[in-house]
Amino acid sequence: MLRRLPTAALLLAVLSVLAAVPGEPSRAPAAAPAVPEQAVPEQADAPPLTAEVMDRARRVAEAWPGSEAERIWRTGYYPALGGETWLPEDFTSDDGAFAAFLDGRIDLATDFPPFSGTGTVSFPDGTSTALPLTDPRTVYEDRIRYRDGCRNEPCDTRLTVTAVRPSTRRQRTSRGTVTAPVWEFVFAGLDHPYAVAAVQSQAPFIDYSVEDADLPAGVTDVVLASEEEQWLEGMVRPENCADARPGEVYATADVLVLIGRTTGRPRTCPEPSNAQYPRFAFTRPLGDRVVLNLAGRPVLFPELVPEG
């Protein structure tokens, strides 16, 4: 279940490391007529689901087959988190090192390695692809860009980078668990490095999600999903923190489009996150159908396969 994935939740809630999947996909017709596969009975405390929302879901479903995004999903490098990062296991939410990291109080005491050439992504089917390496210097510059002032205490803490080196990490993608090249940043005093994917996702740009302001009251977009026995568990983050309700599923032969539902009634957001985990039921086996949100971005990826 999603709530058992603390790394992904921490990246989303604290660092906003969001997969950017992009571009306007081509609009090929769906392979079969589409209807809502699960209609959750309306409740008195929630606004009704409008034709506008169902039409949006229909257009998302029709746009996926034959699109560039689908081609990369099936044959290319499409990671669950595009510019993925791996935090040091030494970090805890209340320590000075993590506070310094979040505020960008990071000093550089080493040189950057060469980054010309390519890095290899190895897929579980035995194939691989070579992609241009990113510049590790930009990773450091991005981390220190907003280091003026103090937003996270203790404010007198700093981190020092003592080495920047190439390595690899296991990564969730549309094609299963891959081995991907990363840049590792070694910090003085920490046993584990900070790692950043050293190649970029091949997926075209798609908005991460549809903002609540662009959806009717009582509807919110899905951020992530996990597969259970006969249903999906979605992760939603309604901006007004209204309580989540069971979601709707708009299904075709190729895709499921998840529609997040809430009561529509604003409430005080809990700290540190307003993430909620409603169920999305559907009637036929998922098979190889792709699960999308209302922005047209895939939200369900194969689980990370343990090493060994």
Side-chain angles (χ1 to χ4, degrees), residues 141-209:
E141 292 173 349
D142 285 344
R143 286 252 51 95
I144 67 172
R145 181 176 301 174
Y146 305 107
R147 65 178 174 185
D148 293 337
C150 176
R151 297 178 300 276
N152 297 275
E153 296 183 350
C155 296
D156 59 350
T157 55
R158 301 191 69 84
L159 282 172
T160 299
V161 179
T162 58
V164 181
R165 63 197 184 196
S167 187
T168 60
R169 292 289 175 103
R170 291 162 59 77
Q171 188 180 36
R172 294 173 67 199
T173 76
S174 61
R175 296 171 59 187
T177 300
V178 306
T179 299
V182 300
W183 297 119
E184 288 187 343
F185 290 73
V186 179
F187 293 129
L190 296 182
D191 294 330
H192 302 278
Y194 168 60
V196 180
V199 292
Q200 294 183 347
S201 168
Q202 292 181 298
F205 178 79
I206 298 171
D207 286 338
Y208 188 72
S209 61

Side-chain angles (χ1 to χ4, degrees), residues 33-302:
V35 295
E37 193 159 315
Q38 170 71 9
V40 178
E42 297 295 344
Q43 299 180 15
D45 63 351
L49 194 61
T50 65
E52 172 192 353
V53 175
M54 296 307 297
D55 184 62
R56 181 190 286 267
R58 176 189 60 79
R59 287 184 281 110
V60 166
E62 291 177 352
W64 180 261
S67 67
E68 179 68 1
E70 184 197 31
R71 184 185 72 81
I72 298 299
W73 178 268
R74 303 293 183 190
T75 65
Y77 172 55
Y78 203 134
L81 296 172
E84 187 166 1
T85 68
W86 291 261
L87 297 177
E89 296 174 21
D90 311 57
F91 278 167
T92 61
S93 59
D94 59 353
D95 69 9
F98 191 43
F101 178 84
L102 292 177
D103 276 0
R105 298 190 298 271
I106 305 172
D107 301 317
L108 185 66
T110 187
D111 295 325
F112 292 100
F115 67 92
S116 61
T118 60
T120 300
V121 177
S122 300
F123 298 95
D125 62 4
T127 62
S128 62
T129 187
L131 298 171
L133 288 171
T134 58
D135 185 350
R137 188 183 308 271
T138 62
V139 177
Y140 175 73
E141 292 173 349
D142 285 344
R143 286 252 51 95
I144 67 172
R145 181 176 301 174
Y146 305 107
R147 65 178 174 185
D148 293 337
C150 176
R151 297 178 300 276
N152 297 275
E153 296 183 350
C155 296
D156 59 350
T157 55
R158 301 191 69 84
L159 282 172
T160 299
V161 179
T162 58
V164 181
R165 63 197 184 196
S167 187
T168 60
R169 292 289 175 103
R170 291 162 59 77
Q171 188 180 36
R172 294 173 67 199
T173 76
S174 61
R175 296 171 59 187
T177 300
V178 306
T179 299
V182 300
W183 297 119
E184 288 187 343
F185 290 73
V186 179
F187 293 129
L190 296 182
D191 294 330
H192 302 278
Y194 168 60
V196 180
V199 292
Q200 294 183 347
S201 168
Q202 292 181 298
F205 178 79
I206 298 171
D207 286 338
Y208 188 72
S209 61
V210 179
E211 295 184 3
D212 285 4
D214 295 327
L215 294 169
V219 177
T220 190
D221 210 355
V222 177
V223 178
L224 292 171
S226 64
E227 187 176 2
E228 306 302 327
E229 290 186 1
Q230 296 182 354
W231 44 276
L232 297 175
E233 181 180 80
M235 178 183 183
V236 299
R237 302 172 64 86
E239 294 171 11
N240 65 0
C241 294
D243 290 320
R245 300 171 56 238
E248 301 270 1
V249 176
Y250 186 91
T252 73
D254 301 295
V255 304
L256 269 63
V257 181
L258 304 187
I259 305 171
R261 304 296 312 277
T262 75
T263 61
R265 296 199 304 267
R267 64 182 178 88
T268 301
C269 288
E271 294 295 339
S273 170
N274 63 326
Q276 300 179 57
Y277 302 89
R279 290 187 178 190
F280 293 80
F282 51 96
T283 56
R284 293 192 295 110
L286 181 60
D288 65 350
R289 290 186 291 176
V290 179
V291 180
L292 308 174
N293 66 4
L294 289 173
R297 181 181 64 83
V299 293
L300 178 66
F301 287 75

